[in-house]
Amino acid sequence: MIETRGLRKSFRSRAGRETKTVDAVRGVDLDVARGEIFGFLGPNGAGKTTTLRMLATLIEPDGGEATIAGADLRKDPAEVRRRIGYVPQGGSTWDESTAREELVLHARMYGIGKADAQRRAARALDAFQLTEYADRKCKTYSGGQRRRVEIALGIIHEPKIVFLDEPTTGLDPQSRAHMWDEIRRLRGDGMTVFITTHYLDEADALCDRIAIMDNGEVVAEGTPAELKREISGDVVLVGLDLAASPQAAKALDGEPYVNKLETVDEGGLRLYVDEGATAIPQVLRRLDHAGLELRSIELHRPSLDDVFLTKTGRSLRES
Amino acid sequence: MKFARDTWLIFQRQTQLLLRNPVWVFVGVFQPVMYLLLFAPLLKPALNAPTQAAAYKIFVPGLLVLLAIFGGLFQGFGLIAELRAGVIERSRVTPISRLALLLGRSLRDVVSLIVQAVIITLLALLFDLRVFIGDLLLAYLMLALIALMTSAVSYGVALKVKSEDALAPLMNTVAQPVLLLSGILLPLTFAPGWLQGIANWNPFSWAVDGTRALFAGDLGSDKVWQGLSITAVLAALGVYWAARQFARSVR
Protein backbone atom coordinates (compact mmCIF):
# COMPACT_ATOMS: atom_id res chain seq x y z
CA MET A 1 0.00 0.00 0.00
CA ILE A 2 2.89 2.30 0.83
CA GLU A 3 6.32 1.70 -0.60
CA THR A 4 9.15 4.15 -0.15
CA ARG A 5 12.76 3.98 -1.24
CA GLY A 6 15.43 6.34 -0.01
CA LEU A 7 13.05 9.10 1.00
CA ARG A 8 15.08 12.11 2.09
CA LYS A 9 14.43 15.59 3.40
CA SER A 10 16.70 18.22 4.85
CA PHE A 11 15.84 21.64 6.17
CA ARG A 12 17.95 24.74 6.27
CA SER A 13 17.82 26.50 9.56
CA ARG A 14 19.36 29.85 10.27
CA ALA A 15 20.96 30.48 13.62
CA GLY A 16 22.19 34.05 13.56
CA ARG A 17 24.37 34.40 10.50
CA GLU A 18 25.11 30.74 10.00
CA THR A 19 22.94 28.48 7.92
CA LYS A 20 22.87 24.92 9.04
CA THR A 21 21.45 22.04 7.08
CA VAL A 22 19.53 19.59 9.20
CA ASP A 23 18.98 16.18 7.67
CA ALA A 24 15.55 15.46 9.08
CA VAL A 25 14.98 12.26 7.13
CA ARG A 26 17.95 10.38 5.67
CA GLY A 27 16.78 7.70 3.32
CA VAL A 28 13.71 5.90 4.57
CA ASP A 29 12.60 2.58 3.03
CA LEU A 30 9.18 1.36 4.09
CA ASP A 31 6.76 -1.30 2.96
CA VAL A 32 3.30 -1.07 4.42
CA ALA A 33 0.79 -3.77 3.55
CA ARG A 34 -2.90 -3.26 2.82
CA GLY A 35 -5.17 -3.31 5.84
CA GLU A 36 -2.55 -3.08 8.56
CA ILE A 37 -1.99 -0.57 11.30
CA PHE A 38 1.56 0.54 10.75
CA GLY A 39 3.23 2.46 13.55
CA PHE A 40 6.08 4.87 13.32
CA LEU A 41 7.75 4.91 16.72
CA GLY A 42 10.47 7.26 17.79
CA PRO A 43 11.37 10.15 20.07
CA ASN A 44 10.37 13.72 19.26
CA GLY A 45 12.53 15.08 16.48
CA ALA A 46 13.29 11.65 15.03
CA GLY A 47 11.78 12.63 11.68
CA LYS A 48 8.45 10.83 12.04
CA THR A 49 6.26 13.81 11.30
CA THR A 50 8.48 14.98 8.44
CA THR A 51 8.22 11.53 6.83
CA LEU A 52 4.47 11.51 7.35
CA ARG A 53 4.08 14.97 5.85
CA MET A 54 6.09 13.91 2.81
CA LEU A 55 3.87 10.88 2.33
CA ALA A 56 0.77 13.06 2.71
CA THR A 57 2.01 15.42 -0.09
CA LEU A 58 2.48 18.33 2.31
CA ILE A 59 6.20 18.70 1.79
CA GLU A 60 8.25 17.73 -1.20
CA PRO A 61 10.97 15.13 -0.63
CA ASP A 62 14.53 16.08 -1.58
CA GLY A 63 15.13 12.62 -2.93
CA GLY A 64 13.86 9.08 -3.10
CA GLU A 65 10.65 7.57 -4.38
CA ALA A 66 7.32 6.56 -2.95
CA THR A 67 4.23 4.85 -4.24
CA ILE A 68 1.13 5.41 -2.17
CA ALA A 69 -2.04 3.44 -2.85
CA GLY A 70 -0.73 2.88 -6.35
CA ALA A 71 -0.01 6.53 -7.14
CA ASP A 72 3.46 7.98 -7.57
CA LEU A 73 4.15 10.57 -4.87
CA ARG A 74 6.68 12.54 -6.89
CA LYS A 75 4.93 12.50 -10.24
CA ASP A 76 1.27 12.60 -9.29
CA PRO A 77 0.73 14.12 -5.83
CA ALA A 78 -2.80 15.17 -6.84
CA GLU A 79 -3.81 11.54 -7.29
CA VAL A 80 -2.15 10.61 -3.98
CA ARG A 81 -4.28 13.27 -2.29
CA ARG A 82 -7.45 11.72 -3.61
CA ARG A 83 -6.53 8.33 -2.18
CA ILE A 84 -5.31 9.27 1.28
CA GLY A 85 -6.62 10.95 4.39
CA TYR A 86 -4.42 12.92 6.76
CA VAL A 87 -5.03 13.94 10.35
CA PRO A 88 -2.45 16.45 11.56
CA GLN A 89 -1.02 16.47 15.04
CA GLY A 90 -1.99 19.95 16.13
CA GLY A 91 -5.69 19.78 15.27
CA SER A 92 -7.58 20.80 12.17
CA THR A 93 -10.96 22.13 13.28
CA TRP A 94 -12.08 25.72 13.48
CA ASP A 95 -13.37 26.92 16.86
CA GLU A 96 -16.38 28.73 15.48
CA SER A 97 -17.80 26.06 13.22
CA THR A 98 -19.64 22.88 14.15
CA ALA A 99 -18.56 19.30 13.59
CA ARG A 100 -21.26 18.81 10.99
CA GLU A 101 -20.23 21.92 9.05
CA GLU A 102 -16.60 20.87 9.13
CA LEU A 103 -17.41 17.38 7.87
CA VAL A 104 -19.66 18.60 5.06
CA LEU A 105 -17.12 21.21 3.97
CA HIS A 106 -14.26 18.73 4.04
CA ALA A 107 -16.17 16.17 1.99
CA ARG A 108 -17.03 18.87 -0.54
CA MET A 109 -13.37 19.87 -0.81
CA TYR A 110 -12.87 16.40 -2.26
CA GLY A 111 -15.42 17.23 -4.93
CA ILE A 112 -18.28 15.33 -3.30
CA GLY A 113 -21.75 16.78 -4.00
CA LYS A 114 -23.72 18.59 -1.31
CA ALA A 115 -26.38 15.95 -0.61
CA ASP A 116 -23.83 13.14 -0.56
CA ALA A 117 -21.55 15.20 1.70
CA GLN A 118 -24.40 15.71 4.16
CA ARG A 119 -25.18 11.99 4.19
CA ARG A 120 -21.54 11.13 4.77
CA ALA A 121 -21.25 13.69 7.56
CA ALA A 122 -24.31 12.23 9.30
CA ARG A 123 -22.91 8.72 8.99
CA ALA A 124 -19.48 9.76 10.29
CA LEU A 125 -21.02 11.64 13.23
CA ASP A 126 -22.94 8.51 14.10
CA ALA A 127 -19.95 6.19 13.74
CA PHE A 128 -17.79 8.38 15.97
CA GLN A 129 -20.58 8.94 18.50
CA LEU A 130 -20.66 12.67 17.88
CA THR A 131 -24.27 13.12 16.83
CA GLU A 132 -25.17 14.62 20.18
CA TYR A 133 -22.68 17.48 19.75
CA ALA A 134 -22.84 17.68 15.96
CA ASP A 135 -24.33 21.16 15.86
CA ARG A 136 -22.32 22.73 18.63
CA LYS A 137 -19.25 24.82 17.95
CA CYS A 138 -15.96 22.93 17.99
CA LYS A 139 -14.58 25.14 20.75
CA THR A 140 -17.03 23.56 23.18
CA TYR A 141 -15.70 20.03 22.63
CA SER A 142 -13.45 18.03 24.93
CA GLY A 143 -10.02 16.97 23.69
CA GLY A 144 -11.24 13.47 22.92
CA GLN A 145 -14.36 14.65 21.08
CA ARG A 146 -12.34 17.06 19.01
CA ARG A 147 -9.83 14.38 18.09
CA ARG A 148 -12.68 12.14 16.97
CA VAL A 149 -14.02 14.92 14.73
CA GLU A 150 -10.57 15.29 13.25
CA ILE A 151 -10.26 11.58 12.52
CA ALA A 152 -13.75 11.62 11.00
CA LEU A 153 -12.57 14.50 8.76
CA GLY A 154 -9.58 12.47 7.65
CA ILE A 155 -11.71 9.58 6.43
CA ILE A 156 -14.85 11.37 5.17
CA HIS A 157 -13.92 10.62 1.56
CA GLU A 158 -13.23 6.93 2.28
CA PRO A 159 -9.53 6.92 1.51
CA LYS A 160 -7.53 3.75 1.10
CA ILE A 161 -4.94 4.96 3.59
CA VAL A 162 -5.24 7.31 6.51
CA PHE A 163 -2.24 8.98 8.12
CA LEU A 164 -2.65 9.86 11.78
CA ASP A 165 0.05 12.02 13.31
CA GLU A 166 0.24 11.24 17.04
CA PRO A 167 -3.48 10.60 17.34
CA THR A 168 -3.53 10.12 21.11
CA THR A 169 -1.06 12.74 22.29
CA GLY A 170 -2.64 14.87 24.98
CA LEU A 171 -5.62 12.59 25.58
CA ASP A 172 -6.54 11.19 28.96
CA PRO A 173 -6.19 7.39 29.38
CA GLN A 174 -9.87 6.71 28.79
CA SER A 175 -10.08 8.78 25.59
CA ARG A 176 -6.87 7.10 24.50
CA ALA A 177 -8.33 3.62 24.86
CA HIS A 178 -11.41 4.85 23.04
CA MET A 179 -9.24 6.20 20.23
CA TRP A 180 -7.44 2.86 19.90
CA ASP A 181 -10.81 1.21 19.38
CA GLU A 182 -11.68 3.75 16.70
CA ILE A 183 -8.39 3.11 14.93
CA ARG A 184 -8.93 -0.66 15.03
CA ARG A 185 -12.38 -0.07 13.61
CA LEU A 186 -10.84 1.74 10.63
CA ARG A 187 -8.67 -1.29 10.00
CA GLY A 188 -11.78 -3.43 10.30
CA ASP A 189 -13.31 -1.36 7.50
CA GLY A 190 -10.40 -2.34 5.29
CA MET A 191 -8.41 0.85 5.60
CA THR A 192 -4.65 0.94 5.93
CA VAL A 193 -3.71 3.05 8.94
CA PHE A 194 -0.35 4.73 9.31
CA ILE A 195 0.24 6.32 12.71
CA THR A 196 3.15 8.02 14.41
CA THR A 197 3.58 7.76 18.13
CA HIS A 198 6.16 8.17 20.81
CA TYR A 199 4.25 5.93 23.20
CA LEU A 200 5.75 2.46 23.54
CA ASP A 201 2.58 0.86 24.86
CA GLU A 202 0.60 2.32 21.99
CA ALA A 203 2.95 0.93 19.36
CA ASP A 204 2.94 -2.40 21.13
CA ALA A 205 -0.79 -2.75 21.69
CA LEU A 206 -2.20 -1.10 18.61
CA CYS A 207 0.15 -1.64 15.71
CA ASP A 208 0.44 -4.71 13.52
CA ARG A 209 3.87 -3.66 12.42
CA ILE A 210 6.15 -0.88 13.48
CA ALA A 211 9.21 0.93 12.26
CA ILE A 212 11.42 2.47 14.90
CA MET A 213 12.87 5.74 13.81
CA ASP A 214 15.78 7.61 15.29
CA ASN A 215 17.71 10.55 13.98
CA GLY A 216 16.09 10.47 10.55
CA GLU A 217 16.60 6.77 9.94
CA VAL A 218 14.59 3.60 10.40
CA VAL A 219 16.63 1.55 12.86
CA ALA A 220 14.30 -1.46 13.14
CA GLU A 221 11.18 -2.73 11.45
CA GLY A 222 8.86 -5.65 12.11
CA THR A 223 5.95 -6.79 14.25
CA PRO A 224 6.28 -5.81 17.91
CA ALA A 225 6.72 -9.51 18.79
CA GLU A 226 9.46 -10.01 16.20
CA LEU A 227 11.35 -6.98 17.36
CA LYS A 228 11.19 -8.05 20.97
CA ARG A 229 12.29 -11.56 20.06
CA GLU A 230 15.44 -10.06 18.57
CA ILE A 231 16.40 -8.99 22.06
CA SER A 232 17.49 -12.33 23.40
CA GLY A 233 16.43 -13.31 26.87
CA ASP A 234 14.71 -11.68 29.80
CA VAL A 235 15.70 -9.16 32.41
CA VAL A 236 15.53 -9.92 36.11
CA LEU A 237 15.42 -6.87 38.35
CA VAL A 238 16.65 -7.58 41.86
CA GLY A 239 15.76 -4.96 44.44
CA LEU A 240 18.38 -4.57 47.19
CA ASP A 241 19.52 -2.00 49.69
CA LEU A 242 22.22 0.21 48.33
CA ALA A 243 24.78 -1.21 50.76
CA ALA A 244 24.01 -4.78 49.84
CA SER A 245 24.30 -4.27 46.07
CA PRO A 246 28.08 -4.72 45.67
CA GLN A 247 28.04 -7.93 47.71
CA ALA A 248 25.17 -9.32 45.69
CA ALA A 249 26.93 -8.39 42.47
CA LYS A 250 29.97 -10.32 43.64
CA ALA A 251 27.84 -13.31 44.55
CA LEU A 252 26.03 -13.45 41.20
CA ASP A 253 28.81 -12.43 38.84
CA GLY A 254 30.13 -15.45 37.02
CA GLU A 255 27.00 -17.56 37.60
CA PRO A 256 26.48 -19.54 34.37
CA TYR A 257 22.88 -18.39 33.77
CA VAL A 258 23.72 -14.66 34.05
CA ASN A 259 24.67 -13.25 30.66
CA LYS A 260 25.26 -9.73 31.85
CA LEU A 261 24.97 -7.88 35.12
CA GLU A 262 24.44 -4.20 35.81
CA THR A 263 24.09 -2.40 39.12
CA VAL A 264 21.16 0.00 39.39
CA ASP A 265 22.00 3.45 40.73
CA GLU A 266 19.33 3.46 43.44
CA GLY A 267 20.46 0.05 44.69
CA GLY A 268 19.76 -3.33 43.14
CA LEU A 269 20.86 -5.30 40.12
CA ARG A 270 19.73 -5.83 36.58
CA LEU A 271 20.46 -9.34 35.33
CA TYR A 272 20.24 -10.30 31.67
CA VAL A 273 19.33 -13.99 31.48
CA ASP A 274 18.17 -16.40 28.80
CA GLU A 275 15.11 -17.67 30.60
CA GLY A 276 13.71 -15.65 33.49
CA ALA A 277 11.55 -18.45 34.89
CA THR A 278 14.49 -20.78 35.54
CA ALA A 279 16.93 -18.06 36.55
CA ILE A 280 14.83 -16.56 39.36
CA PRO A 281 14.92 -19.59 41.71
CA GLN A 282 18.65 -19.87 41.24
CA VAL A 283 19.14 -16.15 41.95
CA LEU A 284 17.05 -16.48 45.10
CA ARG A 285 19.03 -19.49 46.30
CA ARG A 286 22.35 -17.83 45.61
CA LEU A 287 21.44 -14.63 47.47
CA ASP A 288 19.98 -16.60 50.38
CA HIS A 289 23.16 -18.57 50.53
CA ALA A 290 25.20 -15.36 50.70
CA GLY A 291 22.97 -14.17 53.53
CA LEU A 292 21.65 -11.18 51.61
CA GLU A 293 18.13 -9.93 52.11
CA LEU A 294 16.37 -8.80 48.97
CA ARG A 295 13.51 -6.33 48.83
CA SER A 296 11.93 -7.36 45.59
CA ILE A 297 12.45 -9.39 42.46
CA GLU A 298 10.84 -8.69 39.12
CA LEU A 299 10.88 -10.41 35.78
CA HIS A 300 10.85 -8.13 32.72
CA ARG A 301 10.11 -9.43 29.30
CA PRO A 302 11.88 -7.27 26.76
CA SER A 303 9.87 -4.21 25.80
CA LEU A 304 10.02 -2.06 22.71
CA ASP A 305 12.05 0.31 24.83
CA ASP A 306 14.71 -2.40 25.15
CA VAL A 307 14.61 -2.76 21.38
CA PHE A 308 15.10 0.98 21.07
CA LEU A 309 17.87 0.85 23.67
CA THR A 310 19.83 -1.86 21.86
CA LYS A 311 19.43 -0.17 18.47
CA THR A 312 20.30 3.36 19.52
CA GLY A 313 22.08 3.07 22.84
CA ARG A 314 19.49 5.32 24.50
CA SER A 315 16.20 4.70 26.17
CA LEU A 316 13.16 6.13 24.44
CA ARG A 317 11.92 7.39 27.79
CA GLU A 318 15.04 9.51 28.19
CA SER A 319 15.06 11.00 24.73
CA MET B 1 -15.83 24.57 -13.60
CA LYS B 2 -14.14 22.81 -10.69
CA PHE B 3 -12.30 26.04 -9.95
CA ALA B 4 -15.53 28.07 -9.83
CA ARG B 5 -17.17 25.46 -7.62
CA ASP B 6 -14.19 25.32 -5.25
CA THR B 7 -14.05 29.12 -5.01
CA TRP B 8 -17.77 29.28 -4.26
CA LEU B 9 -17.36 26.60 -1.60
CA ILE B 10 -14.65 28.56 0.23
CA PHE B 11 -16.50 31.85 -0.24
CA GLN B 12 -19.67 30.36 1.25
CA ARG B 13 -17.84 28.94 4.23
CA GLN B 14 -15.97 32.17 4.96
CA THR B 15 -19.09 34.28 4.58
CA GLN B 16 -21.05 32.00 6.86
CA LEU B 17 -18.40 32.31 9.57
CA LEU B 18 -18.31 36.08 9.12
CA LEU B 19 -22.09 36.41 9.49
CA ARG B 20 -21.98 34.31 12.63
CA ASN B 21 -19.99 37.06 14.26
CA PRO B 22 -21.85 40.27 13.40
CA VAL B 23 -19.56 42.42 15.55
CA TRP B 24 -17.50 43.11 12.43
CA VAL B 25 -20.38 45.08 10.90
CA PHE B 26 -20.47 47.33 13.92
CA VAL B 27 -16.70 47.69 14.10
CA GLY B 28 -16.37 48.12 10.36
CA VAL B 29 -18.95 50.90 10.22
CA PHE B 30 -18.35 52.62 13.54
CA GLN B 31 -15.00 54.13 12.65
CA PRO B 32 -15.93 55.53 9.24
CA VAL B 33 -19.11 56.96 10.74
CA MET B 34 -17.00 58.71 13.35
CA TYR B 35 -14.99 60.24 10.51
CA LEU B 36 -18.19 61.32 8.81
CA LEU B 37 -19.59 62.91 11.95
CA LEU B 38 -16.53 64.31 13.67
CA PHE B 39 -13.99 64.98 10.92
CA ALA B 40 -16.02 65.86 7.83
CA PRO B 41 -17.56 69.05 9.33
CA LEU B 42 -14.07 70.55 9.45
CA LEU B 43 -13.72 70.09 5.75
CA LYS B 44 -16.07 72.69 4.38
CA PRO B 45 -14.04 75.61 5.69
CA ALA B 46 -10.74 73.80 5.26
CA LEU B 47 -11.34 72.88 1.65
CA ASN B 48 -13.05 76.15 0.97
CA ALA B 49 -15.96 74.13 -0.32
CA PRO B 50 -19.09 76.06 -1.26
CA THR B 51 -21.42 73.65 0.59
CA GLN B 52 -21.21 70.80 3.05
CA ALA B 53 -22.37 68.45 0.27
CA ALA B 54 -19.43 69.51 -1.91
CA ALA B 55 -17.05 68.73 0.93
CA TYR B 56 -18.60 65.28 1.28
CA LYS B 57 -18.13 64.62 -2.42
CA ILE B 58 -14.41 65.00 -1.81
CA PHE B 59 -14.19 63.30 1.53
CA VAL B 60 -16.46 60.24 1.19
CA PRO B 61 -14.64 58.67 -1.81
CA GLY B 62 -11.33 59.04 0.05
CA LEU B 63 -12.81 57.46 3.12
CA LEU B 64 -14.09 54.50 1.11
CA VAL B 65 -10.71 53.92 -0.55
CA LEU B 66 -9.13 54.09 2.90
CA LEU B 67 -11.50 51.39 4.10
CA ALA B 68 -10.73 49.22 1.08
CA ILE B 69 -6.98 49.51 1.64
CA PHE B 70 -7.01 48.90 5.36
CA GLY B 71 -9.82 46.36 5.38
CA GLY B 72 -7.89 44.29 2.87
CA LEU B 73 -4.41 44.62 4.30
CA PHE B 74 -5.39 43.28 7.69
CA GLN B 75 -7.23 40.17 6.47
CA GLY B 76 -3.99 38.22 6.78
CA PHE B 77 -4.55 37.98 10.53
CA GLY B 78 -7.53 35.70 9.99
CA LEU B 79 -5.42 33.47 7.79
CA ILE B 80 -2.71 33.19 10.43
CA ALA B 81 -5.34 32.06 12.93
CA GLU B 82 -6.50 29.47 10.40
CA LEU B 83 -2.93 28.32 9.82
CA ARG B 84 -2.52 27.88 13.54
CA ALA B 85 -5.77 25.92 13.87
CA GLY B 86 -4.62 23.53 11.13
CA VAL B 87 -7.52 24.43 8.85
CA ILE B 88 -5.21 25.39 5.99
CA GLU B 89 -3.13 22.24 6.30
CA ARG B 90 -6.30 20.20 6.26
CA SER B 91 -7.40 21.94 3.05
CA ARG B 92 -4.05 21.31 1.44
CA VAL B 93 -4.27 17.55 1.59
CA THR B 94 -7.50 17.72 -0.40
CA PRO B 95 -7.48 18.16 -4.18
CA ILE B 96 -9.19 21.58 -3.88
CA SER B 97 -7.84 24.29 -6.17
CA ARG B 98 -5.12 26.35 -4.47
CA LEU B 99 -6.29 29.49 -6.21
CA ALA B 100 -9.80 28.84 -4.86
CA LEU B 101 -8.45 28.75 -1.31
CA LEU B 102 -7.20 32.29 -1.90
CA LEU B 103 -9.96 33.73 -4.07
CA GLY B 104 -12.80 32.36 -1.95
CA ARG B 105 -11.37 34.27 0.98
CA SER B 106 -10.56 37.44 -0.94
CA LEU B 107 -14.01 37.58 -2.51
CA ARG B 108 -15.55 37.35 0.94
CA ASP B 109 -13.44 40.37 1.90
CA VAL B 110 -14.56 42.24 -1.22
CA VAL B 111 -18.23 41.57 -0.49
CA SER B 112 -17.93 42.63 3.14
CA LEU B 113 -16.17 45.82 2.05
CA ILE B 114 -18.93 46.63 -0.44
CA VAL B 115 -21.53 46.13 2.30
CA GLN B 116 -19.64 48.61 4.48
CA ALA B 117 -19.33 51.02 1.56
CA VAL B 118 -23.07 50.88 0.89
CA ILE B 119 -23.87 51.61 4.55
CA ILE B 120 -21.52 54.58 4.57
CA THR B 121 -22.86 55.90 1.28
CA LEU B 122 -26.40 55.69 2.61
CA LEU B 123 -25.41 57.60 5.74
CA ALA B 124 -23.67 60.22 3.64
CA LEU B 125 -26.90 60.68 1.68
CA LEU B 126 -28.36 62.01 4.91
CA PHE B 127 -25.71 64.72 4.74
CA ASP B 128 -26.89 65.75 1.28
CA LEU B 129 -24.33 63.79 -0.71
CA ARG B 130 -25.75 63.07 -4.17
CA VAL B 131 -24.21 60.64 -6.67
CA PHE B 132 -25.52 59.10 -9.90
CA ILE B 133 -26.11 55.42 -9.46
CA GLY B 134 -24.04 54.47 -12.53
CA ASP B 135 -21.05 56.48 -11.29
CA LEU B 136 -21.49 54.99 -7.86
CA LEU B 137 -21.41 51.43 -9.21
CA LEU B 138 -18.19 52.18 -11.08
CA ALA B 139 -16.74 53.61 -7.88
CA TYR B 140 -17.70 50.41 -6.09
CA LEU B 141 -15.94 48.43 -8.81
CA MET B 142 -12.81 50.45 -8.08
CA LEU B 143 -13.17 49.74 -4.37
CA ALA B 144 -13.71 46.05 -5.06
CA LEU B 145 -10.50 45.88 -7.12
CA ILE B 146 -8.54 47.65 -4.39
CA ALA B 147 -9.88 45.33 -1.69
CA LEU B 148 -9.20 42.27 -3.85
CA MET B 149 -5.62 43.35 -4.27
CA THR B 150 -4.90 44.34 -0.68
CA SER B 151 -6.54 41.27 0.81
CA ALA B 152 -4.78 38.90 -1.60
CA VAL B 153 -1.43 40.52 -0.83
CA SER B 154 -2.16 40.36 2.87
CA TYR B 155 -2.90 36.62 2.62
CA GLY B 156 0.26 36.06 0.62
CA VAL B 157 2.37 37.92 3.18
CA ALA B 158 0.63 36.07 6.03
CA LEU B 159 1.60 32.74 4.45
CA LYS B 160 5.19 33.92 4.26
CA VAL B 161 5.61 35.41 7.73
CA LYS B 162 3.21 33.08 9.56
CA SER B 163 3.04 35.26 12.66
CA GLU B 164 0.85 38.14 13.80
CA ASP B 165 3.84 39.77 15.44
CA ALA B 166 5.51 40.16 12.07
CA LEU B 167 2.39 40.92 10.04
CA ALA B 168 1.12 43.86 12.10
CA PRO B 169 4.17 46.13 11.87
CA LEU B 170 4.74 45.12 8.26
CA MET B 171 1.24 46.06 7.19
CA ASN B 172 1.31 49.29 9.18
CA THR B 173 4.60 50.25 7.58
CA VAL B 174 3.14 49.71 4.13
CA ALA B 175 -0.20 51.30 4.86
CA GLN B 176 1.00 54.55 6.39
CA PRO B 177 2.94 56.06 3.45
CA VAL B 178 0.34 54.69 1.05
CA LEU B 179 -2.30 56.50 3.05
CA LEU B 180 -0.41 59.78 3.37
CA LEU B 181 0.63 59.82 -0.28
CA SER B 182 -2.77 59.11 -1.73
CA GLY B 183 -4.55 62.28 -0.66
CA ILE B 184 -7.19 60.24 1.05
CA LEU B 185 -7.98 62.59 3.90
CA LEU B 186 -7.20 65.85 2.11
CA PRO B 187 -6.75 66.18 -1.65
CA LEU B 188 -3.15 66.54 -2.76
CA THR B 189 -4.03 69.71 -4.66
CA PHE B 190 -2.79 71.48 -1.54
CA ALA B 191 0.49 69.59 -1.60
CA PRO B 192 3.80 71.18 -2.59
CA GLY B 193 5.19 70.10 -5.93
CA TRP B 194 7.70 67.52 -4.62
CA LEU B 195 5.00 65.78 -2.59
CA GLN B 196 2.72 65.64 -5.62
CA GLY B 197 5.60 64.24 -7.61
CA ILE B 198 6.01 61.36 -5.20
CA ALA B 199 2.27 60.82 -4.96
CA ASN B 200 2.13 60.39 -8.73
CA TRP B 201 4.03 57.16 -8.19
CA ASN B 202 1.51 55.92 -5.65
CA PRO B 203 -1.10 53.88 -7.49
CA PHE B 204 -3.62 54.45 -4.71
CA SER B 205 -3.44 58.17 -5.31
CA TRP B 206 -4.69 57.45 -8.87
CA ALA B 207 -7.44 55.28 -7.42
CA VAL B 208 -8.53 58.04 -5.05
CA ASP B 209 -8.54 60.63 -7.87
CA GLY B 210 -10.60 58.29 -10.03
CA THR B 211 -13.11 57.61 -7.28
CA ARG B 212 -13.43 61.34 -6.53
CA ALA B 213 -14.05 62.04 -10.21
CA LEU B 214 -16.85 59.44 -10.18
CA PHE B 215 -18.41 60.94 -7.06
CA ALA B 216 -18.21 64.34 -8.75
CA GLY B 217 -20.21 62.91 -11.66
CA ASP B 218 -17.28 63.45 -14.01
CA LEU B 219 -17.52 60.11 -15.80
CA GLY B 220 -15.66 61.37 -18.85
CA SER B 221 -12.59 62.38 -16.86
CA ASP B 222 -9.33 60.63 -17.76
CA LYS B 223 -8.84 60.01 -14.07
CA VAL B 224 -11.66 57.47 -14.09
CA TRP B 225 -10.25 55.08 -16.68
CA GLN B 226 -6.71 55.65 -15.45
CA GLY B 227 -7.66 54.81 -11.87
CA LEU B 228 -9.67 51.77 -12.91
CA SER B 229 -6.93 50.42 -15.19
CA ILE B 230 -4.21 50.89 -12.62
CA THR B 231 -6.18 49.19 -9.85
CA ALA B 232 -7.25 46.36 -12.20
CA VAL B 233 -3.64 45.67 -13.17
CA LEU B 234 -2.54 45.83 -9.53
CA ALA B 235 -5.35 43.53 -8.44
CA ALA B 236 -4.34 40.99 -11.10
CA LEU B 237 -0.69 41.19 -10.03
CA GLY B 238 -1.59 40.94 -6.34
CA VAL B 239 -3.78 37.88 -6.86
CA TYR B 240 -1.16 36.28 -9.10
CA TRP B 241 1.58 36.76 -6.52
CA ALA B 242 -0.54 35.56 -3.60
CA ALA B 243 -1.78 32.57 -5.60
CA ARG B 244 1.84 31.60 -6.15
CA GLN B 245 2.44 31.75 -2.43
CA PHE B 246 -0.55 29.46 -1.88
CA ALA B 247 0.59 27.09 -4.59
CA ARG B 248 4.18 27.08 -3.45
CA SER B 249 3.39 26.25 0.15
CA VAL B 250 2.28 22.99 -1.30
CA ARG B 251 2.40 21.79 -4.86
Side-chain angles (χ1 to χ4, degrees), chain B residues 60-72 106 109-111 113-118 120-121 135-151 184 204 207-208 210-212 214-215 227-228 231-232 235:
Chain B
V60 171
L63 185 64
L64 294 177
V65 172
L66 173 86
L67 271 182
I69 295 175
F70 273 77
S106 281
D109 303 336
V110 167
V111 168
L113 170 85
I114 296 298
V115 170
Q116 281 182 52
V118 168
I120 289 158
T121 315
D135 295 344
L136 187 63
L137 289 178
L138 269 182
Y140 284 170
L141 174 64
M142 182 100 76
L143 295 175
L145 288 169
I146 294 170
L148 180 64
M149 183 235 161
T150 52
S151 98
I184 280 175
F204 293 106
V208 173
T211 316
R212 284 210 172 110
L214 284 166
F215 269 72
L228 276 171
T231 45

Side-chain angles (χ1 to χ4, degrees), chain A residues 53 92 96 101-102, chain B residues 5 13 20 89-90 251:
Chain A
R53 286 167 58 83
S92 61
E96 299 296 325
E101 286 167 353
E102 291 289 53
Chain B
R5 176 195 174 277
R13 145 90 167 197
R20 192 164 297 173
E89 182 149 301
R90 186 183 107 200
R251 297 154 288 158

Side-chain angles (χ1 to χ4, degrees), chain A residues 292-313:
Chain A
L292 293 166
E293 199 175 323
L294 81 171
R295 278 191 312 200
S296 65
I297 189 154
E298 281 174 53
L299 172 62
H300 275 253
R301 319 239 50 146
S303 67
L304 287 175
D305 198 23
D306 297 315
V307 178
F308 190 79
L309 185 69
T310 47
K311 298 285 180 186
T312 67

Side-chain angles (χ1 to χ4, degrees), chain A residues 53 56-58 60 77 81 86 88 91-92 94 96-97 101-102 105-106 108-112 137 153, chain B residues 5 9-10 12-13 16-17 20 78 81-82 85-87 89-96 98 249-251:
Chain A
R53 286 167 58 83
T57 75
L58 284 166
E60 201 171 356
R81 269 180 211 130
Y86 168 71
S92 61
W94 186 242
E96 299 296 325
S97 49
E101 286 167 353
E102 291 289 53
L105 172 76
H106 204 63
R108 301 201 67 202
M109 283 196 198
Y110 281 99
I112 295 167
K137 288 183 181 177
L153 285 170
Chain B
R5 176 195 174 277
L9 186 65
I10 299 299
Q12 264 183 318
R13 145 90 167 197
Q16 190 186 26
L17 290 174
R20 192 164 297 173
E82 286 190 288
V87 175
E89 182 149 301
R90 186 183 107 200
S91 316
R92 280 178 181 165
V93 286
T94 74
I96 194 165
R98 302 317 187 226
S249 313
V250 97
R251 297 154 288 158

